[in-house]
């Protein structure tokens, strides 16, 4: 057996199943499509669910993939063992109602023994305990002796996920030899040790579970297989774990070199080396699929993995930012199978660098917060940090529990681990409770699931705004129906439609569908599984029936305005890349007839100069009246033209390429102008941040821009009218009013100060001495807080050394102000604590620093009590 590398094994697997009539599909994105049950794709079959359920017709009944996957359920164990990891590649071959058990078993054995060259004597199949059919195939057809076929129960060898398709499994185990075993007598397949490794799993999907434990035979039986690529590589290369296979070892060695540490010498060091190795693979692939760091969902998983890797770098003593350098090694090792890694390299490295830099600042903040917590514990004589505080450090600053424990142990302190886990469980429960009720696909259960999967729609709206077609399906809001009557809401499906469904950020067309007997107002157009396009709205006249011939008429004005805004986003993206750099990628957009919104990857707010440059570049392209040429071409040919693809988007073999002169070339399925001059002009009205590393521009074109300027002109005219001037002299008028206002304010402050002085009169005769410290506690009439502060400063100076307490009632409200000199503070006086203690007398509260504090209240009748209490409180402070 040759020690094939990871990239070789992937290629061998896909080519083998192609030779068996399978369509080799590229790995789907890690971001699930139309599946709310998953945060991230975690198995080879997950993105193929619509084909298994019959909601979509597969491109071929035999398919093979190598699917990138992420599982984070046991993230806390990653690194602690050589088994656990978050990122892996899953090899799979699938049959959708085509072949079944016999071929699946035969081909798995053929690939492992004849293609890869594994020793048949070291391979052991297992079956579900009641699956005699699989036993017969293994025993009679494949010639495996009965004693080498293991029967396991439902827990091990029956795949099901709640209600829906399910079935028995047949796994294949490989005996890695005694050196990997536990040495116990009777060690065999099923033992917990590392000797017998399960490398292949055939799932025979032949039943339907109704959710209550009742199983019925499926008419269409399917095959779903899975084999971990890294696990297969560890067997073929005869190495201890996935961390020792060629591509992953190259990454692990790079981490060791940066840390100047040798792998296999120290357990704690190995844990950190493995964590970084695994996590940097995950984050590199996640970012390549358009996932950005954030505090929720997929973005939070990414952020957590990245921060764990950062922290373990610190534990290893790696200085400075190091993750981008490691990501380059990931890209170099995996780009053969995933060319998008190389295509997005600059962007991936930039996102990782930015997030690592931010975390290095955050972790220092967290260390500061933990220091404050420790100081508070020591002050109170406590030895255990509360679980809530430990969880706050974890949740807010990314401090895993073991880091908090490590720091506390250095000071002979402990942490309430039970309380930490209880706080984490509360958060998990909250997240679970917030999940929506979904079906097997993880999508909201809707009426559309009842439609025959063979029903499909063709979009003909690029060249037509009016079109005739036949109604194929009608639904009300709850059921598939034969007709919809006047006033009823529902969805109309036709064979061919000119209506554009919401997609790629462009909002849907609206309009009217007319038949001989009725009229339907289209309020929304939606894309559904299986290529269906639904026209959602209400019957406004008569009745619409299945099989009716219908005339579909798109709102032409809305379409034209939307097209202008959509085309403008293409010009905008190109201009942003020219001004900011090639790291700019579209991160989302929303386009309708009124305005456009464009989200893009960038790591700081744009300057006024940058925005001005972008706007000018776009408007120059509009003024040049560039022709917009649209062609359909094979994806590989399209890539050679340099066409910009939408980040994280899955494309078919043929793509639609939109050329705007030689200025902008993009993949796009949306509707566009025929010449850039139709856009008229573009105005950026705002630029803001929406997530870490993602900025948003909102802009207007054509009619929307004219309306914006018209509204602006009206506002300017109204403002001029209020200022009793004309729009062209409004600036001079405002400058004049500001100068006048400043003069009046100065005069007002001067009068208020004089009034405060008059109100104070000669209050120095109210000075008392408390334990050797002078106290001036006095009430003044009608003086605001600013006046009290000014007077306080003056009185403090006259006092020389002591405490000033001033109170004033004004319109039913009370202002309290306390000041203490340095000498008084040295003897124990504290203005903040004093004002807190007396504020209750006036029905309020407040606080401040030791030298100056203030409070407010609603009970002027309590001022005398407050001033009297000030003497008592100061006396206690000085005791």
């Amino acid at each position: 057996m040759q020690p094939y590398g990871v990239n070789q094994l992937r290629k061998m697997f896909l080519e083998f199943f192609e030779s068996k009539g399978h369509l080799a599909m590229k790995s789907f994105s890690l971001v699930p499509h139309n599946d709310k049950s998953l945060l991230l794709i975690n198995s080879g079959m997950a993105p193929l669910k619509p084909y298994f359920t019959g909601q979509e017709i597969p491109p071929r009944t035999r398919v093979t993939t190598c699917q990138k996957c992420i599982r984070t359920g046991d993230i806390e164990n990653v690194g602690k063992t050589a088994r656990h990891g978050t990122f892996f590649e899953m090899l799979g071959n699938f049959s959708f109602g085509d072949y079944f058990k016999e071929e699946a078993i035969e081909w798995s054995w053929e690939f492992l023994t004849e293609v890869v060259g594994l020793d048949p004597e070291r391979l052991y199949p297992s079956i579900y305990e009641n699956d005699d059919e699989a036993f017969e195939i293994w025993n009679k057809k494949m010639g495996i002796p009965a004693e080498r076929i293991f029967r396991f129960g439902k827990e091990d060898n029956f795949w099901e996920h709640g209600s829906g398709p399910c079935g028995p499994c047949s796994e294949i185990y490989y005996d890695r030899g005694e050196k990997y075993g536990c040495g116990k007598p009777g060690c065999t397949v099923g033992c917990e040790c590392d000797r017998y490794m399960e490398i292949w799993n055939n799932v025979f999907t032949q039943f339907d579970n109704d959710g209550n434990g009742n199983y019925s035979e499926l008419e269409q039986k399917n095959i779903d297989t899975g084999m971990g690529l890294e696990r297969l590589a560890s067997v073929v290369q005869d190495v201890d774990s996935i961390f020792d296979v060629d591509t992953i070892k190259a990454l692990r060695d790079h981490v060791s070199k940066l840390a100047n540490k040798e792998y296999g010498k120290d357990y704690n060091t190995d844990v950190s080396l493995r964590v970084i190795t695994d996590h940097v693979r995950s984050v590199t692939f996640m970012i390549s699929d358009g996932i950005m760091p954030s505090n929720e969902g997929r973005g939070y998983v990414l952020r957590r993995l990245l921060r764990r890797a950062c922290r373990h770098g610190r534990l290893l003593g790696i200085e400075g930012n190091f993750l981008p350098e490691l990501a380059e090694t990931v890209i170099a090792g995996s780009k053969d199978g995933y060319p998008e890694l190389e295509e997005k390299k600059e962007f991936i490295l930039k996102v990782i660098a930015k997030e690592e830099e931010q975390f290095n600042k955050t972790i220092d903040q967290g260390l500061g917060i933990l220091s404050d917590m420790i100081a508070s514990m020591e002050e109170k004589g406590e030895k255990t940090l509360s679980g809530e505080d430990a969880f706050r450090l974890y949740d807010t600053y990314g401090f895993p529990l073991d880091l908090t424990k490590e720091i506390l142990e250095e000071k002979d302190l402990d942490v309430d681990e039970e309380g930490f886990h209880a706080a984490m469980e509360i958060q998990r429960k909250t997240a679970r409770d917030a999940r929506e009720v979904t079906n097997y696909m993880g999508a909201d259960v809707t009426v559309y699931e009842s439609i025959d999967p063979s029903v499909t729609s063709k979009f003909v709206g690029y060249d037509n705004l009016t079109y005739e077609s036949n109604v194929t399906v009608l639904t009300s809001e709850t059921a598939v129906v034969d007709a919809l009557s006047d006033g009823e809401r529902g969805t109309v499906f036709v064979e061919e439609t000119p209506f554009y469904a919401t997609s790629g950020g462009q909002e849907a067309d609206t309009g009217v569908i007319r038949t001989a007997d009725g009229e339907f107002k289209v309020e929304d157009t939606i894309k559904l599984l299986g290529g269906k396009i639904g026209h959602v709205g209400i019957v406004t006249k008569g009745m619409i029936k299945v099989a009716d011939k219908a005339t579909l008429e798109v709102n032409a004005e809305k379409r034209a305005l939307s097209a202008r805004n959509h085309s403008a986003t293409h010009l905008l993206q190109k201009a942003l890349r020219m001004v900011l750099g090639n790291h700019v990628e579209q991160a989302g957009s929303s386009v309708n007839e009124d305005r456009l919104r464009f989200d893009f990857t960038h790591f700081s707010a744009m300057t006024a100069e940058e925005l001005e440059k972008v706007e000018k570049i776009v408007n120059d392209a509009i003024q040049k009246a560039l022709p917009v040429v649209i062609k359909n071409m094979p994806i590989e040919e399209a890539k050679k033209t340099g066409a910009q693809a939408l980040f994280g988007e899955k494309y078919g073999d043929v793509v639609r390429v939109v050329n705007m002169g030689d200025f902008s070339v993009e993949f796009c399925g949306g509707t566009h102008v025929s010449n850039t001059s139709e856009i008229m002009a573009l105005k950026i009205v705002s630029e803001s941040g929406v997530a870490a590393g993602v900025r948003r521009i909102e802009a207007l074109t054509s009619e929307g821009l004219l309306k914006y300027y018209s509204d602006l002109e009206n506002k300017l005219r109204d403002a001029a009218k209020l200022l009793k001037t004309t729009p062209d002299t409004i600036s001079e008028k405002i400058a004049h009013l500001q100068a006048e206002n400043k003069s009046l304010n100065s005069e007002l402050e001067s009068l208020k100060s004089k009034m405060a002085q008059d109100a104070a009169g000669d209050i120095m005769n109210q000075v008392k001495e408390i334990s050797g410290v002078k106290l001036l506690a006095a009430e003044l009439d009608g003086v605001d807080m600013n006046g009290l502060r000014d007077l306080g400063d003056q009185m403090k100076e006259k006092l020389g050394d002591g405490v000033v307490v001033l109170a004033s009632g004004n319109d039913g409200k009370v202002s309290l102000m306390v000041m203490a000199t340095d000498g008084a503070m040295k003897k124990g006086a504290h203005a903040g604590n004093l004002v807190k203690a007396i504020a209750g007398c006036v029905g309020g509260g407040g606080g401040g620093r030791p030298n100056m504090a203030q409070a407010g209240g609603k009970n002027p009748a309590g001022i005398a009590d407050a001033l009297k209490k000030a003497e008592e409180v100061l006396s206690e402070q000085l005791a």
Side-chain angles (χ1 to χ4, degrees), residues 480-774:
V480 176
V481 295
D482 292 323
L484 288 171
S485 300
D486 194 358
E488 281 191 286
R489 301 195 67 83
T491 306
V492 177
F493 294 84
V494 296
E495 292 168 353
E496 296 174 306
T497 178
F499 281 79
Y500 184 85
T502 300
S503 181
Q506 182 175 333
E507 290 185 17
D509 282 333
T510 60
V512 181
I513 298 175
R514 294 184 179 89
T515 66
D517 301 319
E519 196 169 283
F520 183 88
K521 181 184 178 186
V522 180
E523 297 169 345
D524 193 12
T525 310
I526 56 174
K527 268 187 181 177
L528 297 165
L529 285 172
K532 298 183 226 348
I533 298 173
H535 307 82
V536 181
I538 187 168
V539 179
T540 53
K541 190 166 70 178
M543 179 185 284
I544 307 283
K545 303 183 299 299
V546 172
D548 276 354
K549 183 174 281 296
T551 301
L552 298 97
E553 190 178 316
V554 172
N555 179 328
E557 184 184 7
K558 183 179 188 296
R559 163 72 78 86
L561 292 172
S562 296
R564 291 174 194 177
N565 282 329
H566 191 168
S567 296
T569 64
H570 285 227
L571 301 177
L572 182 60
Q573 176 166 220
K574 175 67 176 180
L576 285 166
R577 289 171 73 88
M578 288 168 70
V579 173
L580 302 177
N582 287 334
H583 64 276
V584 168
E585 298 276 359
Q586 182 174 337
S589 69
S590 177
V591 171
N592 61 23
E593 71 272 29
D594 298 319
R595 49 107 189 107
L596 67 92
R597 191 185 77 210
F598 188 77
D599 295 349
F600 59 99
T601 52
H602 187 54
F603 305 94
S604 59
M606 289 179 68
T607 64
E609 291 77 15
E610 286 170 337
L611 286 167
E612 198 176 316
K613 274 186 192 173
V614 167
E615 206 175 80
K616 185 178 186 311
I617 291 169
V618 173
N619 283 316
D620 284 350
I622 292 169
Q623 296 310 312
K624 283 177 183 172
L626 303 173
V628 178
V629 179
I630 299 171
K631 293 177 184 173
N632 290 316
M633 59 178 73
I635 190 164
E636 295 307 322
E637 186 185 328
K639 282 180 179 176
K640 288 173 189 171
T641 69
Q644 186 75 15
L646 185 60
F647 201 15
E649 185 69 23
K650 185 83 177 170
Y651 292 99
D653 294 333
V654 176
V655 292
R656 191 165 177 266
V657 179
V658 179
N659 288 262
M660 296 188 178
D662 56 3
F663 180 77
S664 163
V665 189
E666 283 189 42
F667 293 9
C668 185
T671 65
H672 289 282
V673 296
S674 56
N675 189 289
T676 58
S677 62
E678 293 172 43
I679 301 168
M680 293 168 62
L682 175 133
K683 174 68 185 169
I684 295 172
V685 292
S686 72
E687 189 271 352
S688 60
V690 289
V694 179
R695 307 295 300 175
R696 171 172 292 171
I697 277 178
E698 298 203 47
L700 301 166
T701 73
S702 64
E703 298 298 323
L705 182 52
L706 291 175
K707 184 178 181 301
Y708 170 78
Y709 282 129
S710 174
D711 290 345
L712 213 56
E713 193 176 4
N714 288 335
K715 285 175 186 172
L716 191 62
R717 196 178 291 115
D718 290 344
K721 194 175 176 183
L722 288 169
L723 292 167
K724 295 185 172 58
T725 187
T726 57
D728 57 335
T729 58
I730 203 167
S731 297
E732 292 92 323
K733 183 71 174 181
I734 289 171
H736 172 72
L737 288 171
Q738 283 176 329
E740 192 177 318
N741 192 46
K742 188 176 179 184
S743 172
L744 289 169
N745 270 333
S746 176
E747 195 176 326
L748 180 62
E749 288 303 315
S750 176
L751 285 168
K752 281 167 77 176
S753 177
K754 185 175 183 308
M755 285 169 68
Q757 295 284 355
D758 292 343
D762 187 10
I763 58 171
M764 289 303 290
N765 57 14
Q766 297 181 42
V767 174
K768 294 182 180 180
E769 194 166 297
I770 311 286
S771 301
V773 172
K774 292 175 185 173

